[in-house]
Amino acid sequence: MRDLIERAVSDLRNSRYAVVLTGAGMSTESGIRDFRGPKGIWTTDKAAEAKAYERYELFLRDPASYWEEMLGKKGTHGAFYNELRKAKPNAGHRALSELEELGVMKCVITQNIDGLHPKAGSRNVIEYHGSIRKLRCPSCGSRCGFEEVSLERLPPSCNCGGVLKYDVVHFGEPIPLDVMEKAEKEAMECDLMLICGTSAVVYPFANLPMVAKLGRKSSTTIIEVNAEPTPLTNEGISDYLIQGKTGEILPEIAEEVRKSRPERD
Ligand code: NAD
């Protein structure tokens, strides 16, 4: 493990444009359960998985009922969102923010909807599956904060006349084009991709490592930090896996990068 951490530090120090992809495993140490890890919400409750696929369909069919569920007025989903809202960044989130501060990490592309990367201080963050902290209009693509709309009458409407939903991208819902384009541009640009806490099975997000591999760069280093091997490990898409917890490994990497950085004037 020590050897691999040193290798990652050296690879990061030698990179020109490093980006990081993150998934639900990044936030388990903040008390938010992932979906597919050994104690994941879907691993322990198969019905929850089936229900997740109904949410976008409910928004299209009956947006008022969708909003009642999301706000916790009926069903159990609102409670999950309240848990997400209360969570705080962990040492892994802070380490990625430090790597950005050190000029090493250029962009975080996250599947997480919990908003913990911006909360930890990361500035260039692409929230690929949206955020629980915003609303979005699928008709015109605009986003706004909860303080900007009234939820007295459901569903809330956009100024364009469309119906607002959570910014979160539900299963079965297309990824907003602006987000998809930004993420693909970053993946094409990078010469190092760090991938943390994701089972890498949710598409199109899970294509981004291939975009990086086949992008403009002749060789893109792909490093995984995950509790267990993934399809990226098993299919040889990642160059190596540092197996363990992001909240322990990433702070070690950030500390070593900081120590080995040339002193500023
Ligand atoms: P996933 O649940 O499919 O996989 C999580 C992976 O992280 C697993 O391989 C697990 O072994 C690993 N892991 C768990 N804890 C870890 C830790 N401390 N350190 C290192 N690895 C750890 O998650 P996914 O690939 O992100 O896909 C799930 C989807 O669900 C995503 O679209 C995501 O948006 C959503 N989701 C988000 C949150 C959140 O915002 N926090 C929580 C649950 C699910």
Side-chain angles (χ1 to χ4, degrees), residues 94-185:
R94 289 192 293 274
L96 291 180
S97 149
E98 187 181 358
L99 285 171
E100 184 182 7
E101 188 70 34
L102 292 169
V104 172
M105 193 56 73
K106 304 294 194 258
C107 180
V108 179
I109 310 172
T110 187
Q111 291 174 99
N112 294 345
I113 56 173
D114 54 31
L116 293 183
H117 286 298
K119 242 188 179 176
S122 288
R123 286 184 298 269
N124 191 17
V125 181
I126 299 174
E127 293 176 312
Y128 198 85
H129 290 158
S131 165
I132 53 160
R133 295 170 205 279
K134 285 181 262 175
L135 299 90
R136 175 166 47 85
C137 173
S139 303
C140 70
S142 66
R143 296 172 179 83
C144 61
F146 278 84
E147 68 292 348
E148 296 171 66
V149 293
S150 163
L151 296 175
E152 294 273 300
R153 268 188 60 207
L154 297 176
S157 327
C158 177
N159 293 335
C160 80
V163 179
L164 288 164
K165 65 180 286 297
Y166 261 72
D167 180 40
V168 171
V169 177
H170 301 296
F171 285 91
E173 179 181 357
I175 307 291
L177 203 59
D178 57 342
V179 166
M180 190 131 104
E181 283 176 356
K182 270 199 238 166
E184 282 184 11
K185 191 161 170 275

Side-chain angles (χ1 to χ4, degrees), residues 23-25 27-29 32-37 111-114 129 197-200 202 226-228 244-246:
S27 297
T28 54
E29 290 161 85
I32 304 171
R33 285 204 289 159
D34 62 11
F35 279 174
R36 298 182 189 80
Q111 291 174 99
N112 294 345
I113 56 173
D114 54 31
H129 290 158
T198 174
S199 58
V202 178
N226 210 66
E228 57 190 346
K245 293 184 172 179
T246 49

Side-chain angles (χ1 to χ4, degrees), residues 26 28 30 39 42 65 89 93 112 115 124-125 127 140 174 188 202 209 222-223 239 246 254 265:
M26 192 72 218
T28 54
S30 292
K39 295 182 198 151
W42 292 1
S65 292
H93 296 105
N112 294 345
N124 191 17
V125 181
E127 293 176 312
C140 70
M188 295 276 286
V202 178
I222 301 199
I223 310 167
D239 292 284
T246 49
D265 294 337

